[in-house]
């Protein structure tokens, strides 16, 4: 690999992350997309050196895609 690509890959893995579990197992406990988006914006404003990782099952894929759009 080129030196630039190695540096880019290294920076991705060395970044601190906040993991967010989207699904709750019970629909009445699930947050709205706008709720998640607001939380993520606040977290990134307060912790700009962190990234966010969205966790969930196949039922949470639509919510994750909405958050990312």
């Amino acid at each position: 690999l080129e030196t630039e690509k190695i540096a880019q890959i290294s920076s991705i893995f060395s970044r601190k992350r906040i993991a967010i579990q989207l699904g709750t197992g019970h629909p009445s406990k699930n947050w709205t997309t706008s709720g998640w988006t607001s939380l993520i914006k606040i977290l990134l404003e307060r912790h700009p050196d962190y990234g966010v990782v969205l966790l969930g099952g196949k039922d949470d894929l639509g919510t994750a895609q909405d958050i990312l759009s």
Side-chain angles (χ1 to χ4, degrees), residues 42-64:
I42 291 168
L43 290 170
L44 293 177
E45 286 171 2
R46 292 184 184 178
H47 306 282
D49 55 328
Y50 280 66
V52 173
V53 177
L54 301 177
L55 306 173
K58 62 183 177 182
D59 293 339
D60 303 313
L61 183 58
T63 301

Side-chain angles (χ1 to χ4, degrees), residues 7-64:
Q8 186 179 28
I9 292 168
S10 295
S11 71
I12 291 170
F13 288 106
S14 65
R15 189 173 187 185
K16 297 175 183 178
R17 290 173 195 79
I18 299 168
I20 296 176
Q21 174 64 41
L22 299 174
T24 62
H26 197 278
S28 68
K29 295 181 180 181
N30 288 349
W31 281 26
T32 63
T33 299
S34 62
W36 284 121
T37 304
S38 296
L39 174 65
I40 291 167
K41 285 180 182 178
I42 291 168
L43 290 170
L44 293 177
E45 286 171 2
R46 292 184 184 178
H47 306 282
D49 55 328
Y50 280 66
V52 173
V53 177
L54 301 177
L55 306 173
K58 62 183 177 182
D59 293 339
D60 303 313
L61 183 58
T63 301

